[in-house]
């Protein structure tokens, strides 16, 4: 807890002091002692007001709960603040929670609240990890002459992740088998659920005996789990500093669209049955999607903190051979000289999305086997234009 630097007197309190000084001067000029008494009364009231708000010792604890672990850009969530104030008396005033520019919300109200809990909505505006707090309590004396603001508690971080946009299915444009998972059987130990029987081996749990298969074959059979594996897909987001606006110019809408597109495409491919690797233009792995519950959140958190930096490497080096499934590259400002972006290494389905490509890049990409489109704020439309079936004979379609 700490007192914030704010003038101790309200506008009314300053007016009372000024009026007291004027009465004192007027009393000497017009020889009216009554004005001196009035001035002294104003001074005493002002001093009493300051003492009333600053003398009481106050301390408190603050805990915050956000209704969602990860706040998506454009999504509304609710914050519940439990504020335990220790003081001689419960003050009446106004509270507000300090919010970063990346989050909007009506984080203020009257204190004490009727419910005992301070609640307010917040909406994600810009991705990143941002501090919320501290809690500010502003109290004013009964005469409205003095005021006091105090900050209570520490900050709590809120992670704002990029928006995930629904996309058209890739399988419908490339082939129904594109993302269909295939199975590979392997023997697993005790505790696995079975999908097919196999012969009993020493160490298998009796609970896993497949009694129907045992009766049919006349020998002990146990349940065997079939592991599912999926075709691989690679999503590359080009974060090379030269592709995007300079960091000192503020938020780059093109890069924000690229990050949102990266999250949307990666999660979309995962739902179509692919094992997805998300890497940046330097070859660093940002996230992987293998069907685990935490994969999605880990990828979104990593993308929430992504920023342009460094130089781009040759795409073939990043991919490391021929990708077995779709290869999606998301980039920014590219020209005809950026040949490294167009080396897809023989991928079966290479898709290129660029926010600011030179006209000849689309033609060159088409000649190299890419399907491509300009990435705009309408990520869903850009994705559909880049799908293989949507490609024009002379090159990728560019949204107007």
């Amino acid at each position: 807890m700490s007192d914030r630097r704010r003038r101790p007197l309200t506008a009314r309190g300053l007016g009372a002091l000024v009026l007291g000084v004027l009465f004192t001067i007027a009393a000497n000029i017009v020889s009216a002692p009554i004005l001196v008494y009035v001035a002294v009364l104003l001074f005493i009231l002002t001093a009493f007001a300051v003492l009333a708000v600053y003398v009481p010792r106050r301390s408190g604890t603050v805990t915050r709960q956000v209704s969602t672990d990860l706040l998506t850009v454009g999504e509304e969530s609710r914050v519940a603040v439990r504020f335990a104030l220790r003081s001689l008396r419960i003050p009446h005033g106004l509270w507000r929670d300090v919010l970063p520019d990346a989050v909007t919300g009506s984080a203020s109200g009257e204190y004490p609240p009727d419910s005992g809990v301070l609640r307010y909505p917040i909406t994600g505006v810009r991705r990143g990890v941002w501090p919320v707090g501290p809690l500010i309590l502003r109290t004013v004396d009964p005469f409205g002459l003095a005021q006091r603001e105090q900050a209570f508690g520490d900050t709590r971080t809120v992670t704002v992740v990029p928006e995930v946009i629904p996309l058209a299915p890739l399988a419908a444009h490339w082939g129904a088998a594109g993302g269909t998972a295939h199975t590979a059987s392997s023997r697993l130990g005790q505790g696995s659920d079975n999908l097919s029987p196999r012969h009993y081996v020493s160490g298998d749990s009796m609970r896993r005996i497949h009694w129907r298969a045992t009766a049919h074959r006349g020998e002990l059979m146990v349940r065997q789990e079939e592991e599912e594996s999926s075709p691989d897909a690679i999503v590359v987001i080009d974060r090379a500093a030269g592709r995007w606006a300079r960091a000192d110019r503020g938020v780059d809408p093109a890069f924000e669209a690229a990050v949102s597109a990266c999250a949307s495409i990666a999660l979309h491919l995962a739902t179509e049955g692919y094992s997805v690797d998300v890497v940046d233009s330097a070859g660093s792995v940002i996230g992987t999607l293998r069907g685990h519950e935490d994969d999605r959140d880990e990828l979104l958190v990593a993308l929430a903190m992504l920023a342009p930096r460094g130089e781009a490497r040759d795409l073939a080096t990043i991919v490391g051979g021929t990708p077995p499934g779709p290869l999606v590259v998301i980039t920014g400002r590219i020209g005809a000289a950026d040949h490294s972006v167009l080396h897809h290494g023989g991928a079966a389905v290479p898709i290129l999305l660029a926010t600011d490509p030179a006209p000849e890049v689309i033609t060159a990409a088409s000649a190299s086997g890419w399907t491509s489109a300009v990435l705009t704020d309408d990520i869903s439309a850009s994705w559909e234009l880049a799908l293989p079936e949507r490609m024009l004979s002379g090159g990728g379609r560019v949204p107007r």
Side-chain angles (χ1 to χ4, degrees), residues 90-95 109-118 137:
I90 298 177
H92 290 266
L94 300 175
W95 66 268
E110 294 185 359
Y111 186 86
D114 296 333
S115 63
V117 180
L118 316 177
L137 181 60

Side-chain angles (χ1 to χ4, degrees), residues 1 8 18 73-74 80 122 154 191 236 251 270 274 292 303 331 363 387:
M1 179 212 44
V18 172
V73 171
I122 58 173
D154 298 325
V236 181
V251 178
Y274 294 98
H292 302 297
L303 290 176
T331 186
T363 303
L387 291 175

Side-chain angles (χ1 to χ4, degrees), residues 17-241:
L17 278 184
V18 172
L19 193 59
V21 172
L22 293 178
F23 282 168
T24 303
I25 296 174
N28 293 325
I29 295 175
V30 300
S31 299
I34 187 63
L35 296 180
V36 177
Y37 299 145
V38 174
V40 171
L41 178 60
L42 291 174
F43 294 148
I44 292 175
L45 284 177
T46 304
F48 173 79
V50 172
L51 292 175
V53 296
Y54 278 89
V55 167
R57 296 179 60 86
R58 297 171 187 165
S59 62
T61 58
V62 179
T63 57
R64 293 178 183 83
Q65 290 183 338
V66 186
S67 61
T68 54
D69 294 333
L70 300 178
L71 183 63
T72 304
V73 171
E75 177 190 14
E76 182 178 290
S77 183
R78 297 198 66 83
V79 179
V81 183
R82 286 176 171 79
F83 177 37
L85 178 64
R86 292 180 291 274
S87 180
L88 293 176
R89 64 178 182 85
I90 298 177
H92 290 266
L94 300 175
W95 66 268
R96 63 183 177 89
D97 221 3
V98 179
L99 297 181
D101 294 337
V103 174
T104 61
S106 180
S108 61
E110 294 185 359
Y111 186 86
D114 296 333
S115 63
V117 180
L118 316 177
R119 304 179 187 274
Y120 61 91
I122 58 173
T123 302
V125 175
R126 190 168 72 251
R127 64 183 179 85
V129 180
W130 312 101
V132 174
L135 180 70
I136 305 298
L137 181 60
R138 177 179 180 264
T139 55
V140 181
D141 73 285
F143 299 106
L145 301 176
Q147 62 185 353
R148 181 184 186 184
E149 276 199 355
Q150 287 179 276
F152 295 88
D154 298 325
T155 61
R156 182 195 190 279
T157 58
V158 173
T159 302
V160 182
V161 299
E163 184 179 8
V164 177
I165 309 297
L167 301 176
L170 175 63
H173 300 273
W174 180 35
T180 303
H182 59 275
T183 59
S185 298
S186 64
R187 292 184 176 182
L188 299 178
Q190 180 175 344
S192 297
D193 194 13
N194 69 7
L195 298 177
S196 62
R198 62 170 173 79
H199 290 287
Y200 173 86
V201 295
S202 179
D204 285 333
S205 172
M206 296 299 291
R207 290 178 300 178
R208 298 182 61 232
I209 292 179
H210 197 306
W211 294 109
R212 181 177 296 179
T214 298
H216 178 72
R217 299 193 181 186
E219 55 183 329
L220 281 177
M221 304 293 291
V222 295
R223 302 177 185 274
Q224 172 183 273
E225 182 182 60
E226 292 183 348
E227 292 181 324
E228 288 190 352
S229 60
S230 303
D232 294 331
I234 300 177
V235 179
V236 181
I237 180 167
D238 190 348
R239 61 187 299 194

